């Protein structure tokens, strides 16, 4: 049996992980489009300190977890290295109103000296008072501040599920919907992102048979 690969601290490295001669960690993987990619970090685990004079960033295994989530959701982990607008204009049909909305957000976005980098990603649309990307917790706090009523957990990714469900209910061809969502497998579009209830099935049956 072959011996497990280890880092300079003696820790066992997982499949795809390696450590370079300069001690920087590397993770190689294949994205959903079949392309070979890699990410690097000076830290293996979240608890590892950042070496002196090196830029602080996500640990390698934090990036691996995000890549795993993206694979599950059939999302390109680096967004195809496109901006929001270029990605939409190249791959996704967008109304003029929506495109204008994104441009206004970009034009009004807080100006920062140094763009925040998380997992190799830059160009976040919404930044908080500390010039950090706004995350789900910020949204939940905002929701609770404007209402004393309990609200469901709402994140940007939930909006993606809602969009997919609403478009499916309005009768879009499933293959077209798969393309817009960017899913490699249509089963993800239909089984994971499309949420249909009994009332939806009842309404569709009535429509098919002309029942008022």
């Amino acid at each position: 049996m072959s011996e497990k690969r280890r880092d300079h601290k003696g820790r066992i490295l997982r499949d795809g992980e390696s450590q370079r001669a300069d001690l920087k960690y590397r993770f190689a993987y294949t994205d959903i489009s079949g392309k070979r990619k890699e990410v690097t970090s000076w830290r293996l685990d979240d608890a590892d300190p950042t070496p002196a004079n090196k830029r602080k960033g996500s640990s390698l295994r934090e990036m691996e977890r995000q890549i795993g989530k993206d694979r599950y959701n059939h999302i390109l982990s680096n967004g195809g290295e496109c901006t929001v607008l270029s990605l939409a204009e190249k791959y996704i049909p967008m109304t003029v109103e929506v495109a204008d909305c994104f441009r206004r957000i970009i034009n009004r976005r807080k100006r920062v000296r140094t763009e925040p980098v998380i997992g190799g990603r830059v160009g976040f649309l919404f930044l908080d008072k500390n010039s950090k990307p706004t995350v789900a917790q910020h949204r939940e706090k905002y929701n609770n501040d404007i209402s004393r009523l309990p609200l469901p957990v709402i994140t940007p990714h939930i909006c993606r599920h809602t969009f997919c469900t609403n478009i499916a209910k309005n009768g879009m061809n499933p293959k077209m919907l798969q393309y817009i969502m960017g899913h490699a497998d249509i089963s993800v579009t239909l089984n994971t992102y499309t949420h249909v209830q009994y009332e939806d099935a009842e309404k569709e049956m009535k429509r098919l048979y002309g029942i008022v």
Side-chain angles (χ1 to χ4, degrees), residues 16-28:
E17 294 178 348
S18 61
Q19 190 171 30
R20 305 186 322 199
D22 63 357
L23 300 184
K24 195 170 190 178
Y25 293 96
R26 171 180 174 271
F27 175 68

Side-chain angles (χ1 to χ4, degrees), residues 35-183:
K35 294 182 179 180
R36 290 293 294 172
K37 298 288 182 66
E38 68 174 52
V39 291
T40 59
S41 174
W42 292 107
R43 301 187 300 136
L44 179 63
D45 282 323
D46 296 348
D48 290 347
T50 302
N53 302 319
K54 301 298 182 182
R55 178 180 294 179
K56 186 176 181 180
S58 302
S59 71
L60 192 76
R61 287 182 175 165
E62 181 181 353
M63 289 189 277
E64 289 179 48
R65 287 193 292 272
Q66 185 59 52
I67 291 168
K69 291 178 182 178
D70 291 344
R71 279 177 174 168
Y72 176 80
N73 289 308
H74 286 246
I75 297 172
L76 285 172
S77 292
N78 62 356
E81 298 179 352
C82 296
T83 64
V84 171
L85 283 178
S86 63
L87 182 65
E89 289 170 350
K90 185 175 182 180
Y91 297 106
I92 303 172
M94 180 183 289
T95 64
V96 174
E97 292 79 8
V98 172
D100 287 343
C101 179
F102 274 119
R103 290 190 178 97
R104 286 196 299 272
I105 292 172
I106 292 171
N107 290 334
R108 296 174 182 176
R109 201 193 71 149
K110 180 180 179 181
R111 306 299 177 187
V112 294
R113 290 185 176 181
T114 304
E115 285 286 343
V117 180
I118 296 181
R121 299 173 181 172
V122 297
F124 295 93
L125 290 178
F126 301 98
L127 304 178
D128 62 18
K129 62 181 180 180
N130 298 315
S131 299
K132 301 294 184 182
T134 303
V135 296
Q137 289 87 340
H138 292 89
R139 298 294 178 190
E140 291 166 16
K141 182 179 185 301
Y142 174 77
N143 289 337
N144 290 330
D145 286 343
I146 64 174
S147 174
R148 293 184 179 181
L149 297 175
L151 294 174
V153 176
I154 300 173
T155 67
H157 194 74
I158 288 177
C159 295
R160 180 173 161 85
H161 282 251
T162 302
F163 169 81
C164 186
T165 298
N166 289 342
I167 293 296
K169 287 181 180 179
N170 278 279
M172 177 175 278
N173 181 294
K175 290 300 291 183
M176 294 299 99
L177 182 55
Q178 177 193 359
Y179 171 81
I180 289 175
M181 296 300 294
H183 294 148

Side-chain angles (χ1 to χ4, degrees), residues 168-207:
K169 287 181 180 179
N170 278 279
M172 177 175 278
N173 181 294
K175 290 300 291 183
M176 294 299 99
L177 182 55
Q178 177 193 359
Y179 171 81
I180 289 175
M181 296 300 294
H183 294 148
D185 188 342
I186 196 170
S187 66
V188 176
T189 309
L190 299 179
N191 298 331
T192 303
Y193 277 78
T194 304
H195 307 276
V196 179
Q197 300 178 347
Y198 172 82
E199 292 77 9
D200 303 312
E202 181 182 33
K203 182 179 178 180
E204 186 65 8
M205 290 296 292
K206 289 181 177 180
R207 183 186 69 80

